[in-house]
Each structure stands twice: as structure tokens, then as C-alpha cells.
Amino acid sequence: MSFHKLIIVVLLWPAVAQAGVVKVCAEAWPPFLYRDGAGQTAGMAANWIAQAASQQHVRVQYQFLSLQACRRLAASGGADVLAFTPNKDQLDGWLLTKQPMVFWVLSAFVPYHSPHKTFTGLSQFSGARVGWGQHYRYPDRLVLQRSWSHVPAYDAEEIFTLLIRNKIDVVFDDERYVASTLTLQSRRQMRVLRPVAASLSQPVAVRPGLAAFARALDAEAVRWQRSGQLDRFYLSQYGSSLAAIRAVGD
């Protein structure tokens, strides 16, 4: 970290500590972190972050923006925590949580008439046309497949439109996201294959100067893991154990 950046961090940290507030910026992502129908922050990660904050005797304020907007806000000093960001999106000098809590859980989606009824392995899609989000950071186990034909799409809406129109054979995405964003009519034209196909851990990035808060997040994550609370969450939301999700991760 440069000398000038260090000065900025030193100047920012007392203000955060004095105010007793940690500012978190995130993309809304049910069931992890989002605003519910009453406008309240909700989700597994909201509970996790709240417990860590209580240990540090600070309050948490949330802003829900796109990841790019959150990064700009953080760069200007307007955010202390970014949730969630893969490693390559780490800001210079920021700390990443080390204990996996939040995973991007990917299932295979196929057209309803597809001969595939369950997920048996990535090799079952050899030669298939795979919908590929241009702005997605997919797990390496998907990226490294060489027997697929990638069909690029701008976003998830375009990807699933291609699937419904039989322009592609399979899409890998979050089952909960699909359930919360696609219409029932659209979902009836596709099938989700189980068990899950891949996963990618999504660490939380914490501003320099807040190392104690990063440690508190990791300590709380360990408590959730040891108590079985985290396993119960993934079983209830994705029908897969934490061990099974980690087994198909990078």
C-alpha cells in the first residue's frame, strides 16, 4: 500500500470507530442478503454480519447497489465492507474473510423436454450448447471444460430466454435466484437437475483498518459451522449439505 493510501486509511478509521457504524454495500441476493417486503434487511448473511457487529459493539448500515457501484463507493470512502466479491475483485489492500460462509450454488437448468433428468456429472453435457453470461465469474470447474460450445449472453434474463427458445441446451445458475426472478410460466418450460453442479465461495471484503471486524466475521462463521447452523441453512435452501456444496467448489 502506498504512503498516501495509508494516510487515507488512518484518517478514515477514527471516523468509523467514533461513529460506531460499519457501512456495508452489497447487491441484493436472496436468500443471503436483501430487503424484505417490509424494507428490512434480511437473509443469512445479514444475521451473520449482525452477530459479528454486536461483538465489535458497532451498528451496520446497508446500501444495496450493483457490485460495480459498490466498488466505486468503497473507493471514495463511502463503504467499509463489500459483500460479496470473489478474489479477483478485491480492492487494493482490502481484507477478505477466510472462513467460507456464502456460496454461489450453481445447478444445471435444461429445457423441460431434455433427456437429462438428474445431474450425474459435467461430462453429461459434452458437446452441448452452454449459456454463458458475459459478466459472470464462473467456477473454474465450469470454465475449464473444453467439450462445450459457449453461447454468450449479456445477462441472466437473456440466458434463460435462449434456454426457453431451445437455442442452448443447459444453463448453470442459482436455483433460488431463478425461483425469485423468473415467472412461473418460464420456469415450467425448464427443469433443474439435482444435485448441485458447482459452487464458488463469495468472501466479504473489509476496508483496511477494520481487521478486527474481519476477524469477528470469521469467528462467527466458525461458530455457525461448528453448531451445524450453516449446514441446516444450505439443506433448507438448496437441498444440499454444506459438505456437498463445498465438494463441487473450486
Side-chain angles (χ1 to χ4, degrees), residues 35-218:
R35 292 202 190 279
D36 61 19
Q40 300 299 311
T41 304
M44 177 269 270
N47 295 332
W48 165 42
I49 293 170
Q51 289 296 321
S54 69
Q55 297 297 321
Q56 294 293 298
H57 307 290
V58 296
R59 294 184 297 108
V60 181
Q61 290 182 352
Y62 285 97
Q63 276 193 281
F64 289 94
L65 303 169
S66 69
L67 177 58
Q68 292 75 17
C70 283
R71 284 170 56 81
R72 289 194 295 270
L73 187 65
S76 68
D80 306 304
V81 175
L82 297 184
F84 307 93
T85 176
N87 290 343
K88 72 174 186 177
D89 289 330
Q90 180 185 11
L91 296 176
D92 184 29
W94 283 50
L95 309 172
L96 293 178
T97 51
K98 299 176 181 179
Q99 294 294 326
M101 276 287 282
V102 174
F103 291 87
W104 186 29
V105 182
L106 296 166
S107 297
F109 289 82
V110 297
Y112 191 79
H113 59 74
S114 171
H116 299 292
K117 306 302 180 186
T118 61
F119 177 74
T120 58
L122 296 176
S123 61
Q124 75 188 93
F125 301 111
S126 179
R129 301 165 300 172
V130 180
W132 206 252
Q134 294 178 350
H135 303 291
Y136 281 30
R137 195 294 204 188
Y138 288 101
D140 287 345
R141 64 188 282 113
L142 301 183
V143 174
L144 297 176
Q145 293 294 314
R146 293 293 180 262
S147 61
W148 297 343
S149 173
H150 288 177
V151 179
Y154 180 76
D155 55 18
E157 181 179 357
E158 183 179 353
I159 292 175
F160 282 101
T161 298
L162 291 172
L163 186 71
I164 292 171
R165 294 178 178 176
N166 298 311
K167 301 295 185 181
I168 55 177
D169 304 304
V170 61
V171 172
F172 295 94
D173 212 325
D174 181 342
E175 183 178 356
R176 282 298 310 272
Y177 169 81
V178 171
S180 64
T181 58
L182 267 63
T183 65
L184 179 60
Q185 181 180 0
S186 294
R187 298 200 306 273
R188 283 176 173 171
Q189 298 180 67
M190 64 185 70
R191 184 194 311 276
V192 59
L193 307 185
R194 298 187 179 90
V196 298
S199 70
L200 184 64
S201 177
Q202 302 289 299
V204 168
V206 179
R207 179 181 294 284
L210 293 177
F213 188 67
R215 290 194 296 269
L217 287 170
D218 279 332

